[in-house]
Amino acid sequence: MSNTPWWRDAVFYQIYPRSFTDGNGDGIGDFMGMAAKLDYLAKLGVDALWISPHFPSPNLDWGYDVSDYLDTAPEYGGMPAFRAFLDGAHGRGLKVILDLVLNHTSDLHPWFLESASSRDNPKADWYVWADRPPNDWQSCFDGPAWTYVPERGQYYYHYFMRQQPDLNWHNPDVKKAMWDAVRFWLDLGVDGFRLDAIGTIFEDPDLAPHGLPLDLARLRRLSETAVSRADKRRVQRYWHDMFKRQWGQPGVHELMKELRALVDGYQGDRVLIAEDDNIAYQGRGDDEIHMVFNFPLMRTESITPAHVRSNQRARQKALDRLPARGWPCNTLGNHDSPRMRTRFGGVDPEHSLALARLNAAMVTLIRGTPVLYNGEELGMEDLVLDNPADLRDTMAVWYLGQLTDTLGVPPDEAARRAADMTRDRCRSPVQWGPGPNADFCPAGVRPWLPVHPDHARGVNAADQETDPDSILAWYRRILALRRAEPALRRGEQRFVDGGSGSVLAWLRREPGSPRAVLVALNYGDTPAILRARSVSGPGTVLESTDRQATGSAVDARRLRLAPLSAVVVALENRKS
Ligand code: GLC
Ligand code: CA
């Protein structure tokens, strides 16, 4: 029996429930739909599902404004559908983690309604109240961070939208209520949580102003119009300085330790993954968050071998410094960021698809737990919302209004800017088939967000199911390989030099094992040769973007790589 907790071996897959599959024909994804796709997910070869918030919500931030932590949204099928889904997932050996929003609730949560009703109700101190705005802080979504409530004659603080008031975590009753919610879901059998925005839980106790000469809308606009290097640097500094007193404040570590102890009280290695890239939140490596995301990996304009190598070296070094050695968690996309094929692939569809394959192999075969985002396995791309009336992301709707009404930007340009920054672009319905509505919901029903037109051009599960060269088939192959090869899950990692600048290659090997696995990716448009001198020569191809190559014998010291290709090679009796 191995002591490795399941989440170190697992591949996670994020489901954005509203956009995954509509099971009851109302144009909105739900647990009935998710349950119907469990076989698809099992066959894909993922091990664990992260479900973006499924709680009842007025949906001003599509679930990230929770109005009841102890229930499932009615439009997702309520608790019966949730339980059926959870059973179905567990029955197939799939783990399920939920999305826990700690920093704030919805402004329609009964806690807030009570807190806002007077200055002396039992929950008066559950949120962050002030007689007048104590500073110039901004919400990162919609302008001033302080909003007035006439019933109290006071202002409340919100890091996110005005409909997302921040909880006062200094109040022990808040903590107790939230930990009760955590227990509720753990008792039901969920396998852990992705923790939303933990960095924003506490604010600077001195409430010191940011003091910048502009507000959020103007800073966004400045980011769009900055051209010179100096201006771009100034914009970056402004983004940091505007919010630096509103996140990353003391107190989070203590809180995470408490939550970890609570979770550790349950059997089955329940897991916590934080939406933060700060390795410090992994504590000693065994007493706070199990994993934080390696966001710096995706925070780049293009994925290059040099970028990946330097990212991996820096992260691994920092994780190795933790007394109990931390474990990495890698991802290239989620519901807040552009889709990885679009972001890192450019405009030519063939080229972007080829790069998406390489990046899929990269993120799943480097050391750590990968987290995939629904639809990336189909090569889904960002949706451009030409019509501002189709925008559903309130943050973009707000910005559009600012652009036209306050900043005097012409409507056409404003619409383009909003389409560019809206998170709707990566949230369009998952494409199951080539037919109407991409088989996300029935023909004739209007899906909550438009489907991407490329579903009719092969970017859909049904067409790819029967095509052994589809990107879906590629994901299945690399995930199956990862599952079959302990070295690819648990092995140490060493980058292999000796080739052209377009080649990224690394070795994975479990300490003490004679078997090593070499992964080589050629990001270039021309053939390349990898000359990995430190590697023992003869090897067998385990997987390759060229299916014919699988099983063939190769010399790993002189490995030929076709343009935009991936090759995974097994090496026995490795010397070094
Ligand atoms: C996180 C979520 C994002 C949400 C925000 C507020 O960043 O990923 O979607 O809007 O927190 O909850
Ligand atoms: Ca539905």
Side-chain angles (χ1 to χ4, degrees):
M1 278 284 288
S2 113
N3 293 323
T4 306
W6 63 268
W7 47 266
R8 287 196 177 208
D9 276 341
V11 174
F12 280 73
Y13 180 97
Q14 179 190 358
I15 291 183
Y16 195 71
R18 220 172 182 75
S19 299
F20 195 63
T21 313
D22 175 15
N24 67 350
D26 62 359
I28 298 173
D30 47 49
F31 279 111
M32 298 74 85
M34 285 183 243
K37 296 296 180 192
L38 284 168
D39 287 332
Y40 167 87
L41 294 166
K43 186 169 177 195
L44 175 60
V46 299
D47 308 282
L49 309 172
W50 148 30
I51 316 292
S52 273
H54 69 293
F55 311 96
S57 164
N59 288 317
L60 271 302
D61 191 18
W62 303 111
Y64 285 94
D65 48 331
V66 178
S67 55
D68 184 352
Y69 286 87
L70 304 178
D71 203 350
T72 295
E75 72 268 32
Y76 295 161
M79 286 307 280
F82 174 80
R83 281 176 217 265
F85 164 80
L86 186 64
D87 285 351
H90 283 165
R92 289 166 179 81
L94 295 166
K95 307 278 187 187
V96 175
I97 71 166
L98 301 178
D99 205 321
L100 187 64
V101 187
L102 298 172
N103 175 66
H104 49 270
T105 68
S106 157
D107 64 340
L108 296 184
H109 194 295
W111 298 342
F112 186 75
L113 294 177
E114 188 175 344
S115 189
S117 66
S118 70
R119 291 191 190 198
D120 55 6
N121 66 74
K123 295 197 172 51
D125 193 32
W126 278 43
Y127 293 81
V128 181
W129 293 98
D131 288 343
R132 60 193 64 76
N135 51 40
D136 53 2
W137 286 359
Q138 297 289 292
S139 132
C140 71
F141 280 2
D142 67 353
W146 300 92
T147 292
Y148 187 66
V149 171
E151 287 77 8
R152 281 184 64 135
Q154 283 184 314
Y155 294 77
Y156 65 89
Y157 170 71
H158 50 98
Y159 184 84
F160 295 97
M161 282 184 359
R162 136 179 90 70
Q163 294 88 351
Q164 295 170 295
D166 273 46
L167 284 159
N168 172 17
W169 277 88
H170 296 290
N171 184 333
D173 294 339
V174 166
K175 207 155 64 176
K176 186 179 173 306
M178 200 61 92
W179 291 173
D180 282 349
V182 168
R183 283 191 202 92
F184 172 83
W185 295 101
L186 291 175
D187 289 340
L188 268 178
V190 309
D191 301 288
F193 299 95
R194 176 263 192 187
L195 304 176
D196 187 66
I198 56 163
T200 63
I201 289 176
F202 292 105
E203 294 76 48
D204 169 20
D206 296 333
L207 301 170
H210 63 67
L212 297 178
L214 76 187
D215 61 11
L216 175 75
R218 287 185 172 80
L219 177 51
R220 271 204 184 288
R221 185 65 186 142
L222 192 64
S223 320
E224 292 168 353
T225 51
V227 183
S228 71
R229 287 257 293 272
D231 280 354
K232 286 188 176 165
R233 269 203 304 273
R234 191 159 55 102
V235 162
Q236 259 184 1
R237 203 180 58 238
Y238 279 175
W239 276 115
H240 175 262
D241 288 353
M242 183 171 279
F243 295 104
K244 69 180 179 198
R245 298 196 164 83
Q246 298 171 249
W247 56 264
Q249 299 293 318
V252 181
H253 289 288
E254 290 71 13
L255 202 64
M256 293 303 116
K257 281 201 179 85
E258 254 188 61
L259 180 56
R260 174 64 178 263
L262 189 169
V263 166
D264 279 350
Y266 284 78
Q267 291 199 316
D269 289 321
R270 317 285 172 110
V271 70
L272 300 171
I273 311 179
E275 188 212 4
D276 205 294
D277 54 46
N278 188 354
I279 285 169
Y281 290 130
Q282 293 188 201
R284 292 172 27 89
D286 60 2
D287 61 346
E288 290 188 38
I289 300 304
H290 298 84
M291 297 184 281
V292 300
F293 284 104
N294 176 10
F295 288 135
L297 179 65
M298 63 187 244
R299 216 175 280 137
T300 174
E301 273 174 26
S302 65
I303 302 275
T304 61
H307 169 73
V308 175
R309 274 191 296 263
S310 82
N311 167 272
Q312 289 294 292
R313 286 184 176 133
R315 296 296 287 187
Q316 197 54 58
K317 209 163 137 197
L319 288 165
D320 285 349
R321 255 187 244 124
L322 306 184
R325 205 178 182 210
W327 186 253
C329 178
N330 302 301
T331 188
L332 292 177
N334 56 45
H335 66 295
D336 292 329
S337 49
R339 283 193 170 274
M340 72 101 138
R341 175 173 173 194
T342 308
R343 183 173 187 171
F344 304 122
V347 286
D348 176 67
E350 281 309 311
H351 194 252
S352 69
L353 197 59
L355 281 175
R357 282 173 216 262
L358 298 196
N359 288 328
M362 187 273 284
V363 78
T364 54
L365 303 181
I366 52 174
R367 189 163 185 273
T369 296
V371 181
L372 312 177
Y373 178 57
N374 57 196
E376 75 171 65
E377 78 278 17
L378 304 171
M380 278 183 66
E381 297 185 85
D382 274 1
L383 175 71
V384 180
L385 286 175
D386 298 318
N387 181 358
D390 286 335
L391 291 171
R392 293 290 172 271
D393 181 1
T394 338
M395 167 197 195
V397 175
W398 174 83
Y399 184 51
L400 179 69
Q402 291 289 307
L403 284 174
T404 50
D405 305 350
T406 311
L407 300 174
V409 173
D412 275 5
E413 193 196 333
R416 263 199 314 277
R417 295 299 186 176
D420 222 36
M421 59 80 79
T422 182
R423 297 174 296 171
D424 295 322
R425 65 195 164 178
C426 65
R427 297 175 177 176
S428 64
V430 171
Q431 296 162 200
W432 298 106
N437 290 330
D439 294 346
F440 160 77
C441 62
V445 171
R446 187 155 179 240
W448 82 284
L449 265 177
V451 296
H452 197 298
D454 69 6
H455 74 274
R457 298 191 295 272
V459 184
N460 70 74
D463 285 349
Q464 295 186 23
E465 178 67 44
T466 51
D467 174 4
D469 287 316
S470 65
I471 184 163
L472 174 60
W474 174 244
Y475 267 86
R476 285 178 180 158
R477 276 152 56 201
I478 52 178
L479 294 185
L481 176 62
R482 188 182 194 281
R483 200 175 265 178
E485 278 293 337
L488 289 173
R489 299 195 309 277
R490 303 177 181 181
E492 297 296 324
Q493 168 166 294
R494 191 159 63 76
F495 284 89
V496 178
D497 292 318
S500 82
S502 71
V503 175
L504 177 67
W506 66 97
L507 274 172
R508 303 287 311 273
R509 184 166 69 113
E510 286 192 286
S513 163
R515 183 177 171 93
V517 177
L518 172 71
V519 185
L521 310 176
N522 180 10
Y523 280 84
D525 293 328
T526 51
I529 294 187
L530 176 70
R531 291 194 178 84
R533 275 176 295 276
S534 65
V535 170
S536 74
T540 313
V541 174
L542 295 171
E543 252 327 327
S544 166
T545 36
D546 169 15
R547 273 187 303 122
Q548 312 307 322
T550 305
S552 58
V554 287
D555 179 354
R557 276 173 309 195
R558 205 173 180 289
L559 198 60
R560 285 168 194 286
L561 297 164
L564 295 167
S565 70
V567 181
V568 185
V569 178
L571 304 164
E572 303 295 342
N573 300 320
R574 198 172 149 263
K575 292 179 297 199
S576 54

